[in-house]
């Protein structure tokens, strides 16, 4: 069967994308239910090459043959504002998946950023340009351009299942996948969490204890943990002193 390149992805309201981009990966992740949230965070070894950047966009997915960039180049032409290129190459952890010249083309297209489940090359130039890239490191290997590969099919990137058009959010804490169907509810939860934390920050500034504000006294009691008003080996010292 031929490998497929799909040129369309499900639509998403740009205002929803913009609003999600104002929330952090941590808040969005915690707004999801526990299991879906945990399974939506990409492997932490996929890190921001340039710190201090947040990107949000719909996934243009690429499943490329190890060491080959043909499908990635075709996928790049499907990106633009509101879209993030998400690339994986199963079978070769050392195959570079992105490079500086590709970033120049991506910038011209308005691509929001790139998530690479593997290393990238030309890292010094990418750091200098501050193009938004999340990757597993760097490697100066040479990618070929002869295929095969697939574009806009479901992939696994960083251990997370991602469908074309899913919302991808990435910042200094990592990368999160939000299914389109749960995007609005996730945003609502993240905004409520951010508002709650704003109030906690103000309370701390006013002299309140974070331990008490967070209800950790009750949690500590319920955890069957005993506090002892002494040093840990006080009883042993006492026994030795009486001998």
């Amino acid at each position: 069967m031929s490998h497929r390149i799909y040129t369309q992805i499900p639509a998403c309201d740009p205002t929803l994308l913009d609003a999600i981009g104002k929330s952090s990966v941590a808040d969005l992740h915690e707004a999801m239910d526990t299991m879906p949230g945990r399974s939506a965070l990409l492997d932490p070894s996929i890190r921001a090459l340039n710190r201090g950047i947040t990107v949000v966009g719909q996934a243009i997915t690429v499943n490329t043959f190890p060491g080959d960039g043909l499908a990635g180049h075709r996928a790049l032409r499907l990106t633009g504002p509101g879209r993030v290129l998400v690339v994986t190459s199963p079978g070769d952890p050392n195959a570079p998946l992105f490079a500086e010249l590709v970033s120049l083309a991506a910038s011209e297209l308005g691509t929001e950023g790139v998530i690479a489940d593997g290393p990238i090359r030309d890292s010094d130039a990418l750091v200098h340009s501050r193009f938004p890239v999340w990757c597993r490191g760097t490697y100066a290997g040479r990618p070929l351009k002869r295929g095969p590969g697939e574009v806009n099919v479901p992939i696994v990137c960083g251990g997370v299942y991602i469908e074309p058009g899913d919302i991808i959010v990435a910042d200094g804490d990592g990368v999160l996948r939000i299914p389109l169907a749960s995007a609005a509810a996730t945003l609502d939860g993240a905004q409520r969490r951010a508002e709650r934390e704003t109030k906690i920050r103000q309370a701390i500034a006013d002299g309140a204890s974070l331990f008490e504000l967070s209800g950790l006294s009750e949690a500590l009691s319920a955890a069957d943990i005993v506090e002892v008003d002494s040093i840990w080996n006080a009883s042993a010292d006492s026994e030795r002193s009486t001998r």
Side-chain angles (χ1 to χ4, degrees):
M1 186 179 75
S2 299
H3 300 280
R4 304 296 176 89
I5 292 176
Y6 294 93
T7 61
Q8 302 293 325
I9 62 173
C12 178
D13 183 352
T15 59
L16 177 61
L17 277 180
D18 183 63
I20 288 174
K22 293 180 171 63
S23 295
S24 69
V25 165
D27 283 344
L28 290 162
H29 160 246
E30 294 208 24
M32 304 172 80
D33 288 338
T34 301
M35 291 302 292
R38 291 289 177 88
S39 61
L41 280 172
L42 273 62
D43 190 309
S45 63
I46 298 179
R47 301 173 182 170
L49 185 66
N50 293 298
R51 305 285 294 184
I53 298 175
T54 298
V55 301
V56 61
Q58 289 187 266
I60 299 293
T61 62
V62 184
N63 190 22
T64 186
F65 188 78
D68 194 271
L70 181 61
H73 278 273
R74 178 62 185 97
L76 183 65
R77 297 173 60 198
L78 301 174
T79 65
R83 295 188 172 185
V84 173
L85 192 66
V86 184
V87 190
T88 188
S89 180
D92 187 353
N94 294 322
L97 299 178
F98 193 70
E100 185 241 351
L101 290 182
V102 188
S103 77
L104 299 179
S107 294
E108 289 298 315
L109 291 166
T111 310
E112 302 294 343
V114 171
I115 313 299
D117 193 358
I120 54 93
R121 58 183 284 175
D122 307 324
S123 58
D124 288 343
L126 289 167
V127 168
H128 179 73
S129 69
R130 289 190 60 77
F131 184 85
V133 180
W134 280 254
C135 60
R136 288 190 185 271
T138 62
Y139 184 64
R142 177 194 175 197
L144 303 175
K145 299 176 183 66
R146 60 190 181 191
E150 297 177 298
V151 176
N152 282 333
V153 298
I155 63 172
V156 174
C157 181
V160 173
Y161 174 81
I162 298 175
E163 293 185 356
D166 280 347
I167 296 174
I168 303 297
V169 189
D171 62 17
D173 284 340
V175 185
L176 179 72
R177 172 244 183 176
I178 305 174
L180 275 178
S182 61
T186 300
L187 172 61
D188 180 65
Q191 290 175 332
R192 285 188 282 107
R193 174 179 170 77
E195 291 170 1
R196 184 170 64 251
E197 290 195 346
T198 296
K199 294 177 181 178
I200 291 174
R201 290 188 186 93
Q202 184 57 56
I204 291 173
D206 293 339
S209 163
L210 176 60
F211 194 84
E212 298 302 331
L213 288 170
S214 302
L216 295 181
S217 291
E218 294 81 359
L220 195 64
S221 298
D224 191 27
I225 298 174
V226 177
E227 290 194 18
V228 181
D229 188 19
S230 177
I231 61 175
W232 71 273
N233 61 347
S235 58
D237 288 344
S238 176
E239 289 178 6
R240 282 195 294 267
S241 67
T242 58
R243 289 176 184 173

